[in-house]
Amino acid sequence: MDIKDIQNLIKFVSKAEVSEVKYKTKDFEITIKTPLAGSEVNYIPQAPVYQSQIAPVVPAAPVQAAVPVAEQASSESDDSNYITIKAPMIGTFYRRPAPDKEVFVGVGDEVSVGKVVCVIEAMKLFNQIESEVSGKIVKVLVDDATPVEYDQPLFLVDPS
């Protein structure tokens, strides 16, 4: 089988909408898998978007802060005493090893270096995230089963 035959076979498989095809001869074997075959894909037409003339931006009057400056400064200084455990990758954040199990850590729990604090699922792989600091969990910053970005804060830890 030459490269042209293989290309024709790939085109045929993609048009046939099958998930997997195996072709075997006595001295040659090829398996072609398609990622979308077998799953229904529905296309929903979207309404057309029209652009209108944008009004010129006029600077508004400065808005008063809702939180007084003294309270805002104190809340920032409170958080500055804590160490943040951040997401080392993009994925889905899970606080439990399985839906029927207990959470790895909760507010008030002591953690040490190397203790698993959560799991991040990325590309169907569940990666255990270990603490790099010792201390007490003060706050969980992310809800369970939600997407997280790289370097996103997950936990606040009081090192004292």
Side-chain angles (χ1 to χ4, degrees):
M1 185 172 234
D2 65 353
I3 189 72
K4 207 155 234 0
D5 292 336
I6 294 173
Q7 289 173 340
N8 288 333
L9 183 60
I10 292 171
K11 287 178 188 175
F12 174 75
V13 169
S14 66
K15 287 179 184 175
E17 296 181 0
V18 294
S19 62
E20 185 175 336
V21 171
K22 289 184 181 180
Y23 180 76
K24 192 176 197 180
T25 62
K26 56 183 172 177
D27 60 337
F28 183 79
E29 180 179 344
I30 186 170
T31 303
I32 301 172
K33 295 180 182 181
T34 58
L36 295 178
S39 63
E40 256 183 60
V41 177
N42 296 326
Y43 295 100
I44 301 170
Q46 295 194 358
V49 177
Y50 300 102
Q51 282 189 334
S52 61
Q53 178 122 9
I54 299 174
V57 178
V58 178
V63 179
Q64 293 292 331
V67 178
V69 175
E71 287 180 23
Q72 188 176 10
S74 68
S75 69
E76 287 177 4
S77 66
D78 289 343
D79 288 349
S80 68
N81 296 336
Y82 302 133
I83 297 173
T84 306
I85 297 176
K86 296 181 179 182
M89 63 185 66
I90 296 173
T92 304
F93 171 84
Y94 293 104
R95 293 186 62 196
R96 307 167 188 270
D100 59 337
K101 303 286 184 189
E102 290 295 315
V103 295
F104 287 109
V105 292
V107 174
D109 289 351
E110 293 288 328
V111 294
S112 58
V113 175
K115 180 175 181 179
V116 176
V117 293
C118 66
V119 172
I120 295 181
E121 176 192 6
M123 298 179 65
K124 305 284 186 194
L125 294 175
F126 292 87
N127 302 286
Q128 293 184 342
I129 308 305
E130 298 176 349
S131 175
E132 295 177 353
V133 297
S134 294
K136 185 166 138 182
I137 299 289
V138 176
K139 190 172 187 180
V140 180
L141 303 171
V142 181
D143 292 329
D144 196 31
T146 56
V148 293
E149 295 291 325
Y150 172 75
D151 218 25
Q152 178 177 345
L154 303 175
F155 300 95
L156 286 180
V157 178
D158 185 3
S160 55

